[in-house]
């Protein structure tokens, strides 16, 4: 794929990529923007190369996820280094809230309470419209593991929302490669 073609594809995937970066960065907008910028630089500098072995979107989401993990590790190391230097410490978290409806906030809260793999799998399937096999590829796990994380996450999410009396109107179904709904 030529660079101009790749740039055009990245532009069309930008909104979905930013949503996935937000999820990978615990909804910290500044961190998500930084991760996405780093990903784009990696791609344009040839440090991350799309070989066409999977869909571009799947490959891009995997690069975003790995970059977010790396950036998170760097951030933790930096915070451990500066923890002793209390004079220079300033507020550690920028408090940026997105305007959401009460229902969306409750759903996001329930989703954020799930274990990481379950949360990632549900985000990829619900918000990024990936199939379970594509989500498994992004997360670098087997399809069986992705299915297990998806089913367990969905069950826990349903339990939390039911306890709170939230009727979110979600169709609790997953997408399979064949397009069949189970």
């Amino acid at each position: 794929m030529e660079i101009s073609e790749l740039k055009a594809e990245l532009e069309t995937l930008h909104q979905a990529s930013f949503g996935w970066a937000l999820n990978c960065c615990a909804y910290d907008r500044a961190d998500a923007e930084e991760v996405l910028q780093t990903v784009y630089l990696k791609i344009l500098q040839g440090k991350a190369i799309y070989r066409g072995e999977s869909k571009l979107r799947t490959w891009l989401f995997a690069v975003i996820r790995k970059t977010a993990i790396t950036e998170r590790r760097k951030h933790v190391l930096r915070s451990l280094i500066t923890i002793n230097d209390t004079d220079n410490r300033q507020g550690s978290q920028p408090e940026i809230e997105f305007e959401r409806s009460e229902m969306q906030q409750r759903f996001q809260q329930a989703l954020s309470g799930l274990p990481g793999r379950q949360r990632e799998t549900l985000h990829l399937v619900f918000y990024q419209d990936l199939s379970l096999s594509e989500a498994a590829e992004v997360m670098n796990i087997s399809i069986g593991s992705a299915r297990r994380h998806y089913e367990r996450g969905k069950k826990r999410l349903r339990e939390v929302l039911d306890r709170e009396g939230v009727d979110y109107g979600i169709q609790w179904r997953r997408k399979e490669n064949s397009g069949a709904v189970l």
Side-chain angles (χ1 to χ4, degrees), residues 84-126:
N84 294 329
D85 189 12
T86 56
D87 293 336
N88 294 333
R89 279 180 71 199
Q90 297 176 355
S92 62
Q93 284 187 338
E95 297 190 36
I96 299 174
E97 286 290 326
F98 295 108
E99 292 182 9
R100 294 186 179 123
S101 68
E102 182 180 335
M103 194 74 74
Q104 181 67 15
Q105 287 176 349
R106 290 166 85 181
F107 182 79
Q108 286 296 327
Q109 186 176 10
L111 189 62
S112 67
L114 297 176
R117 291 287 176 123
Q118 291 175 9
R119 183 179 57 250
E120 284 182 2
T121 306
L122 290 175
H123 181 90
L124 288 169
V125 173
F126 288 165

Side-chain angles (χ1 to χ4, degrees), residues 3-181:
I3 195 73
S4 60
E5 195 178 346
L6 183 59
K7 284 181 182 180
E9 287 294 322
L10 289 175
E11 284 180 27
T12 61
L13 292 171
H14 179 72
Q15 188 172 1
S17 298
F18 185 67
W20 177 237
L22 275 172
N23 182 68
C24 292
C25 295
Y27 292 93
D28 183 313
R29 187 177 186 89
D31 286 350
E33 289 171 350
E34 186 176 326
V35 163
L36 204 52
Q37 183 176 14
T38 302
V39 166
Y40 290 155
L41 283 174
K42 282 181 180 180
I43 293 169
L44 295 175
Q45 292 172 347
K47 294 179 182 177
I49 300 169
Y50 176 62
R51 290 182 171 74
E53 297 168 356
S54 62
K55 290 182 179 178
L56 177 65
R57 179 182 179 133
T58 304
W59 171 81
L60 178 61
F61 282 14
V63 174
I64 292 168
R65 181 176 181 269
K66 289 174 186 173
T67 303
I69 290 169
T70 301
E71 291 299 317
R72 191 176 325 131
R73 285 180 186 146
K74 287 180 187 177
H75 179 72
V76 167
L77 287 174
R78 276 181 278 203
S79 65
L80 289 175
I81 290 169
T82 60
I83 206 159
N84 294 329
D85 189 12
T86 56
D87 293 336
N88 294 333
R89 279 180 71 199
Q90 297 176 355
S92 62
Q93 284 187 338
E95 297 190 36
I96 299 174
E97 286 290 326
F98 295 108
E99 292 182 9
R100 294 186 179 123
S101 68
E102 182 180 335
M103 194 74 74
Q104 181 67 15
Q105 287 176 349
R106 290 166 85 181
F107 182 79
Q108 286 296 327
Q109 186 176 10
L111 189 62
S112 67
L114 297 176
R117 291 287 176 123
Q118 291 175 9
R119 183 179 57 250
E120 284 182 2
T121 306
L122 290 175
H123 181 90
L124 288 169
V125 173
F126 288 165
Y127 290 110
Q128 302 303 331
D129 202 30
L130 295 182
S131 68
L132 283 175
S133 62
E134 291 168 330
E137 192 172 333
V138 167
M139 296 170 63
N140 198 27
I141 59 176
S142 71
I143 182 71
S145 292
R147 185 173 287 117
R148 186 172 54 252
H149 293 307
Y150 177 82
E151 293 298 336
R152 288 179 181 171
K154 200 170 63 168
K155 181 180 177 188
R156 286 177 112 168
L157 191 58
R158 186 182 303 127
E159 288 169 356
V160 169
L161 294 175
D162 285 348
R163 257 195 321 265
E164 293 183 13
V166 176
D167 179 20
Y168 204 73
I170 296 174
Q171 299 297 317
W172 298 97
R173 295 182 276 174
R174 69 172 173 255
K175 287 178 21 182
E176 292 291 337
N177 283 339
S178 65
V181 178

